[in-house]
Amino acid sequence: MKIKFTKMQGCGNDYVYVNCMDKLIDNPEKVSQYISDRHFGIGSDGLILICPSDVADFRMAMYNADGSEGKMCGNGVRCIAKYVYEYGLTDKKKISLETKSGIKYLDMDIEDGKVQMVKVDMGAPILKPAEIPVKTDSSMDSFINQPLNVDGNTFMVTCVSMGNPHAVVFVDDTKSLDIRKYGPVFETHPAFPEQVNTEFVQVISRNEINMRVWERGSGETLACGTGTCASVVACVLNGKTDEKVTVHLLGGDLFIEYNRGNGTVWMTGPAEIVFDGEIGLDI
């Protein structure tokens, strides 16, 4: 089986994209595991399929590097917008995208026929523990700045879902953080029945933060769109920043606005095409 693909990245969060508007691929879980391998495959954080939808302009199907299916990818939705416009699947500058966490609305900034930036309506954050999900000992309405014992250490954690579950932890310095030590322990912590993405956040000012992320199923990635949104929501809820924040990631910057009044989170950032190719699969 041969598959034509496009490698794309948003702030270094790289996925392999496949146009499935005419035909879906078989065994996407195994395909994602194979192509994501950075030594024997193409190398990526996972696989994203662009599919037809009955309720939106397009549908996203997203798989992590370990083959598990994710609900949504913030950097991935921006890359889909760039793909469908620049590869001629649409001439619209505003599109809707069906995901497993609901329909997202994307607004493209286009110059000379190229998508420069994409602004995404990420919807409202989910704060109820049962819906994130995170296990609690009581009927808490939210999990904001709560103690969690991880590997013998107590961390103050704020949990938010932006379609994917996130645990946000504030640290003094993201550069010196031993993320390979703590990331996997957070990911598989029994408090998170569906595992969790963990964001380690250093507040720089009222409008600026640094962030590193450990994603469930993929490990540390250079960026995470939903995690960036969750981090800003956590910052605002804990009184650490204003509602408009520039987030510095290992792979670049994202611009997040959390309108606490109407509950909407907006994410603006770039999307880039790396290369096109074709790969033969025997799986």
Side-chain angles (χ1 to χ4, degrees), residues 65-122:
D66 67 353
S68 60
E69 186 173 8
K71 292 183 177 180
M72 222 279 286
C73 171
N75 291 307
V77 300
R78 298 199 315 277
C79 286
I80 285 181
K82 185 177 181 72
Y83 184 104
V84 297
Y85 186 86
E86 294 191 12
Y87 284 80
L89 300 184
T90 185
D91 58 1
K92 293 196 262 185
K93 296 181 180 180
K94 295 183 179 182
I95 63 168
S96 56
L97 180 66
E98 178 187 358
T99 77
K100 282 189 171 292
S101 62
I103 297 176
K104 307 302 176 187
Y105 298 92
L106 293 74
D107 189 352
M108 293 172 258
D109 177 18
I110 298 170
E111 295 180 11
D112 299 324
K114 301 293 183 182
V115 177
Q116 303 298 319
M117 300 285 280
V118 182
K119 185 175 183 179
V120 186
D121 180 351
M122 298 290 286

Side-chain angles (χ1 to χ4, degrees), residues 233-245:
V233 169
C235 285
V236 173
L237 293 179
N238 283 282
K240 294 182 180 293
T241 69
D242 297 333
E243 294 183 348
K244 295 182 179 181
V245 180

Side-chain angles (χ1 to χ4, degrees), residues 27-82:
N27 300 317
E29 299 87 355
K30 291 185 177 179
V31 172
S32 185
Q33 287 179 304
Y34 181 81
I35 60 97
S36 297
D37 191 292
R38 297 188 185 275
H39 299 287
F40 298 101
I42 299 167
S44 69
D45 292 325
L47 172 71
I48 291 180
L49 309 180
I50 303 170
C51 310
S53 171
D54 293 329
V55 295
D57 293 313
F58 302 95
R59 178 173 66 86
M60 162 193 274
M62 173 243 176
Y63 298 86
N64 296 308
D66 67 353
S68 60
E69 186 173 8
K71 292 183 177 180
M72 222 279 286
C73 171
N75 291 307
V77 300
R78 298 199 315 277
C79 286
I80 285 181
K82 185 177 181 72

Side-chain angles (χ1 to χ4, degrees), residues 118-136:
V118 182
K119 185 175 183 179
V120 186
D121 180 351
M122 298 290 286
I126 296 170
L127 301 176
K128 291 183 178 180
E131 297 177 14
I132 293 174
V134 53
K135 293 181 179 179
T136 60

Side-chain angles (χ1 to χ4, degrees), residues 120-191:
V120 186
D121 180 351
M122 298 290 286
I126 296 170
L127 301 176
K128 291 183 178 180
E131 297 177 14
I132 293 174
V134 53
K135 293 181 179 179
T136 60
D137 296 329
S138 62
S139 56
M140 299 169 58
D141 291 332
S142 61
F143 198 91
I144 299 172
N145 197 35
Q146 295 296 315
L148 187 69
N149 186 285
V150 179
D151 198 29
N153 296 279
T154 299
F155 291 86
M156 302 306 292
V157 179
T158 296
C159 292
V160 180
S161 173
M162 292 299 308
N164 297 323
H166 296 277
V168 180
V169 182
F170 294 101
V171 298
D172 294 330
D173 180 25
T174 53
K175 288 184 178 179
S176 62
L177 174 72
D178 189 355
I179 196 169
R180 293 185 180 276
K181 176 182 178 180
Y182 293 109
V185 188
F186 267 96
E187 179 182 0
T188 58
H189 194 285

